[in-house]
Every structure is written in structure tokens, then in C-alpha cells.
């Protein structure tokens, strides 16, 4: 995108995404200096209205003041949909099914892990030891339980 905000031929040029052609929209110098002013020429987006001077012409005139802004994209760190972050106090562990029950702020959550890991937790719980769980767990479709990453 480029523009000329001063003089008689004040305009801005952008790539029209509908037909991938460059469009030149002419505006009066006051509107151009108010809208574009001293903005940097990188990563700018323009919203607004324009009209053709005649139905068949390639000359476009801006209607009103165009809105010129920068777009920012905010995203969260990507994780696979089958991954869980698990952190809490284990209160029950069933070694036959591999299902454990853990508490997070008083709420009960259920998770199926490997039966051997659940056996270790059940043994520790039977000896009245505090057992906690902490880490990233990924669901293994073949084993049909969560495996620690």
C-alpha cells in the first residue's frame, strides 16, 4: 500500500483482494493528511467507502474519511487437541482400570492413565502418603489412556 497525502493529486493505492488489481482512490489533501498523516508505510489497513466517478471509469473517489489502522494478531501457544495439563492432589487410584481421581481447588477430576502408574499411586495412597500429579498428558488412541509427555 502506498499514498501521496499532499498536493493536488492526493491519493492512496492498495491491492483489491476481490480481483487482485491495484486500485487508486483519490481524496482531498485535508482528508489524506488527517487519515494518513505521519503513519509508517508498513502493515496498514484501510476501511472506508469509495465511489467511481463514472460507472465504467477506473477513477475512484473517497467518500468521507477512511479509517487507517494497523492489524495485530494475538494467538495463544498452539497445543494439540489431545493434550491436557494436569496438576493436582490424587485422592483415588484404580490399578485395574488405570483411572485416577485428583482434586484441584476442591473439585474432583478424572483421568485414565497407565495401570502401572495408577498401581504406584494406589500403593502410595494405601500407605497414607500424599500423592500429587503434575505435567502434560497426551491421549494415546492405541493404548486408550493418557501418557505423560
Amino acid at each position: 500500500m502506498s499514498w501521496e497525502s499532499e498536493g493536488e493529486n492526493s491519493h492512496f493505492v492498495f491491492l483489491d483482494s476481490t480481483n487482485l488489481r491495484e486500485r487508486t482512490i483519490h481524496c482531498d489533501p485535508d482528508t489524506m493528511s488527517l487519515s494518513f498523516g505521519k503513519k509508517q508505510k508498513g502493515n496498514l489497513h484501510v476501511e472506508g467507502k469509495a465511489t467511481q466517478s463514472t460507472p465504467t471509469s477506473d477513477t475512484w473517489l473517497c467518500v468521507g474519511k477512511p479509517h487507517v489502522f494497523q492489524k495485530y494478531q494475538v494467538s495463544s501457544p498452539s497445543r494439540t487437541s489431545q493434550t491436557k495439563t494436569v496438576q493436582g492432589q490424587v485422592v483415588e487410584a484404580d490399578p485395574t482400570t488405570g483411572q485416577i481421581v485428583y482434586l484441584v481447588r476442591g473439585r474432583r477430576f478424572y483421568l485414565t492413565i497407565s495401570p502401572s502408574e495408577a498401581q504406584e499411586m494406589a500403593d502410595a495412597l494405601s500407605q497414607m502418603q500424599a500423592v500429587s500429579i503434575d505435567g502434560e498428558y497426551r491421549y494415546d488412541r492405541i493404548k486408550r489412556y493418557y501418557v505423560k509427555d
Side-chain angles (χ1 to χ4, degrees), residues 9 21 32 61 75 114 141:
N9 191 18
R21 290 180 53 198
M32 287 296 291
L61 304 170
S75 62
S114 74
R141 289 184 174 177

Side-chain angles (χ1 to χ4, degrees), residues 16-27:
D16 189 351
S17 60
T18 57
N19 57 11
L20 298 175
R21 290 180 53 198
E22 277 194 352
R23 293 257 187 244
T24 302
I25 299 180
H26 298 276
C27 294

Side-chain angles (χ1 to χ4, degrees), residues 3-74:
W3 66 83
E4 181 60 49
S5 60
E6 296 174 9
E8 290 297 314
N9 191 18
S10 57
H11 64 279
F12 63 94
V13 179
F14 71 99
L15 185 65
D16 189 351
S17 60
T18 57
N19 57 11
L20 298 175
R21 290 180 53 198
E22 277 194 352
R23 293 257 187 244
T24 302
I25 299 180
H26 298 276
C27 294
D28 64 281
D30 292 337
T31 302
M32 287 296 291
S33 65
L34 284 173
S35 297
F36 290 90
K38 298 190 186 324
K39 297 202 173 165
Q40 298 293 324
K41 293 200 178 196
N43 196 22
L44 285 182
H45 296 272
V46 178
E47 289 178 351
K49 293 183 180 180
T51 184
Q52 286 177 296
S53 58
T54 61
T56 57
S57 126
D58 257 359
T59 305
W60 290 76
L61 304 170
C62 63
V63 177
K65 181 178 178 249
H67 175 59
V68 181
F69 60 98
Q70 279 187 308
K71 274 191 179 176
Y72 296 100
Q73 185 172 2
V74 178

Side-chain angles (χ1 to χ4, degrees), residues 93-105:
D94 185 352
T96 56
T97 61
Q99 187 176 57
I100 63 166
V101 179
Y102 63 98
L103 296 176
V104 178
R105 291 191 223 116

